[in-house]
């Protein structure tokens, strides 16, 4: 759209969605060029070295790995600025080598609408330590709305929820800005923990996060009433015998386990609506809720939220990519990124 400006850009620019589960990067004209777990494995010593990141490091999260790996984000916040910087630097090197980046790029990073000043400073510090030349933060729900194709500049109020791994961001927006928001420090990771806890209670078997996530994706449902008779085996460790074992988990067990964290999302959705006044609330009732984020794909979540809130609910196309696509459009269509800081 604004390709005329690109010839005058002094440095490369890109968008980054540094998420609790995955990090995605978008380069103008190329689209999404990186989509891997937000995990890094660092060697020990006074000057830690990146041994692996992304997909490779994800496999090293298991106990007993030669080099322990760590997540760089949790609940929408940086857990360790040094580790996050090392992860971003490795990612930028991989992206830049293929595209001939010169000096550090200008970066637009997503930030939860409810993030604190400390959390935002940690995001910026990690990016600058990774070698970027400038960093600008953009509110995650607004990016998700843009990526979902919503006309955010319209006067009519809209409600958007980003159900991520570490947080659920809920925002009412109109005239291109967020007029009210609610941040819930719960998301897909909490669903995984609820599933693992349910398996432990029912079978005295410990399962890891990846096994819980697979169960959520293949067998999980948002409403107990929608649960069928389906079952699925899952491997874990018997607590009493401390030995590997396999147990069978039912869809009904999973639905009961997920009911509380899913209900928390429904409750959080109603909070901004109670604060925005009757006229704006009526507009939201008409425009409905747009669900984005990977957690939006939980089977039946849209129907459950519609029943709980009375709002029409639509799941965005490829909801896990809504934020990064929106950030990418912002990067492509903003001639001066400093305008984002105004």
């Amino acid at each position: 759209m604004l390709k005329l400006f690109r010839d005058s850009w002094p440095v490369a620019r890109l968008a980054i969605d540094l998420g609790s589960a995955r990090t995605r990067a978008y380069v103008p004209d190329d689209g999404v060029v990186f989509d891997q777990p937000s995990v890094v494995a660092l060697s020990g010593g006074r000057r830690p070295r990146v041994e692996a990141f992304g997909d490779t490091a994800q496999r090293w999260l298991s106990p007993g790995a030669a080099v322990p790996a760590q997540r760089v984000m949790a609940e929408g916040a940086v857990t360790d600025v040094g580790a996050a910087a090392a992860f971003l630097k490795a990612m930028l090197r991989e992206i830049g080598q293929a595209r001939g980046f010169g000096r550090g790029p200008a970066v637009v990073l997503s930030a939860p609408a409810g993030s604190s000043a400390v959390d935002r400073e940690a995001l910026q510090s990690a990016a600058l330590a990774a070698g970027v030349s400038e960093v600008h933060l953009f509110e995650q729900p607004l990016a998700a709305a843009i990526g979902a194709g919503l006309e955010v500049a319209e006067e009519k109020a809209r409600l958007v929820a980003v159900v991520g791994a570490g947080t659920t961001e809920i925002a009412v927006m109109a005239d291109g800005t967020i007029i009210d928001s609610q941040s819930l420090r719960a998301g897909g990771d909490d669903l995984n923990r609820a599933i693992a806890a349910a398996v432990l209670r029912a079978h005295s078997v410990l399962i890891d996060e990846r096994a819980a996530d697979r169960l959520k994706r293949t067998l999980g449902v948002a409403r107990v009433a929608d649960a069928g008779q389906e079952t699925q085996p899952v491997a874990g460790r018997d607590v009493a015998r401390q030995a590997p074992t396999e147990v069978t988990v039912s869809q009904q067990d999973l639905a009961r386990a997920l009911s509380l964290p899913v209900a928390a999302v429904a409750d959080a959705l109603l909070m901004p609506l109670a604060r925005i006044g009757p006229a704006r609330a009526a507009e939201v009732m008409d425009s409905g809720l747009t669900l984005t984020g990977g957690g939006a794909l939980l089977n039946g979540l849209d129907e459950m939220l519609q029943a709980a809130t009375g709002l029409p609910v639509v799941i965005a196309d490829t909801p896990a990519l809504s934020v990064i696509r929106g950030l990418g459009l912002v990067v492509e269509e903003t001639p001066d990124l400093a305008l984002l800081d105004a």
Side-chain angles (χ1 to χ4, degrees):
M1 179 177 175
L2 295 175
K3 192 171 179 62
L4 287 175
F5 290 100
R6 298 188 193 171
D7 293 337
S8 64
W9 288 350
V11 294
R13 46 166 64 184
L14 69 154
I16 298 175
D17 179 24
L18 184 58
S20 297
R22 301 185 72 82
T23 291
R24 299 176 174 97
Y26 183 110
V27 173
D29 296 327
D30 291 346
V32 179
V33 297
F34 184 90
D35 184 353
Q36 295 190 36
S38 305
V39 181
V40 66
L42 300 174
S43 62
R46 295 178 60 185
R47 301 183 65 182
R49 184 180 65 197
V50 175
E51 299 293 338
F53 71 101
D55 289 326
T56 302
Q58 172 87 357
R59 296 193 289 270
W60 294 3
L61 280 173
S62 303
V67 179
Q70 65 186 98
R71 298 187 182 279
V72 302
M73 296 283 288
E75 296 184 342
V78 173
T79 57
D80 181 311
V81 171
F87 171 84
L88 288 171
K89 188 173 184 177
M91 182 196 72
L92 290 170
R93 184 183 300 115
E94 179 178 294
I95 295 172
Q97 284 176 346
R99 289 162 182 83
F101 286 179
R103 59 194 179 98
V107 167
V108 176
L109 274 168
S110 65
S115 59
S116 67
V118 172
D119 289 341
R120 288 172 178 255
E121 183 178 351
L123 268 175
Q124 292 173 313
S125 296
L128 291 170
V132 307
S133 58
E134 56 185 274
V135 56
H136 309 274
L137 301 184
F138 195 84
E139 290 180 314
Q140 190 182 78
L142 192 55
I146 294 170
L150 300 184
E151 296 294 337
V152 297
E154 289 185 353
E155 183 180 354
K156 184 177 182 180
R158 300 174 182 275
L159 181 65
V160 173
V162 187
V163 187
T167 64
T168 297
E169 294 291 315
I170 300 158
V172 180
M173 56 195 69
D175 297 316
T177 61
I178 292 175
I179 58 178
D180 201 293
S181 65
Q182 184 73 33
S183 184
L184 181 67
R185 291 264 172 150
D189 288 346
D190 292 84
L191 301 182
N192 293 344
R193 284 191 284 268
I195 290 171
V199 174
L200 180 61
R201 285 194 303 270
H203 304 281
S204 295
V205 170
L206 285 170
I207 63 172
D208 63 22
E209 182 183 349
R210 284 178 291 180
D213 189 63
R214 284 193 296 271
L215 284 173
K216 178 184 68 181
R217 294 173 186 275
T218 58
L219 207 61
V221 291
R223 296 191 295 186
V224 176
D226 293 335
Q229 301 302 313
E230 293 90 341
T231 61
Q232 185 172 314
V234 62
R237 188 174 81 248
D238 186 286
V239 173
R241 297 186 297 112
Q242 291 295 302
T245 189
E246 185 176 271
V247 295
T248 299
V249 179
S250 74
Q251 191 171 60
Q252 293 179 353
D253 289 339
L254 289 193
R256 284 191 287 269
L258 296 176
S259 61
L260 283 178
V262 167
V265 174
D267 291 341
L269 282 170
L270 296 174
M271 293 179 185
L273 299 183
R275 297 191 293 258
I276 58 176
R280 288 298 197 189
E283 291 175 356
V284 170
M285 289 299 296
D286 182 58
S287 59
L289 164 67
T290 300
L291 276 179
T292 70
L297 295 173
L298 177 66
N299 187 26
L301 180 61
D302 54 339
E303 296 172 355
M304 180 272 177
L305 294 178
Q306 183 163 322
T309 64
L311 294 167
V313 179
V314 174
I315 300 175
D317 181 42
T318 322
L321 298 181
S322 294
V323 172
I324 191 60
R325 285 175 173 168
L327 287 175
L329 288 171
V330 169
V331 167
E332 288 183 339
E333 300 185 8
T334 306
D336 183 1
L337 294 180
L339 294 172
L340 302 178
D341 304 325

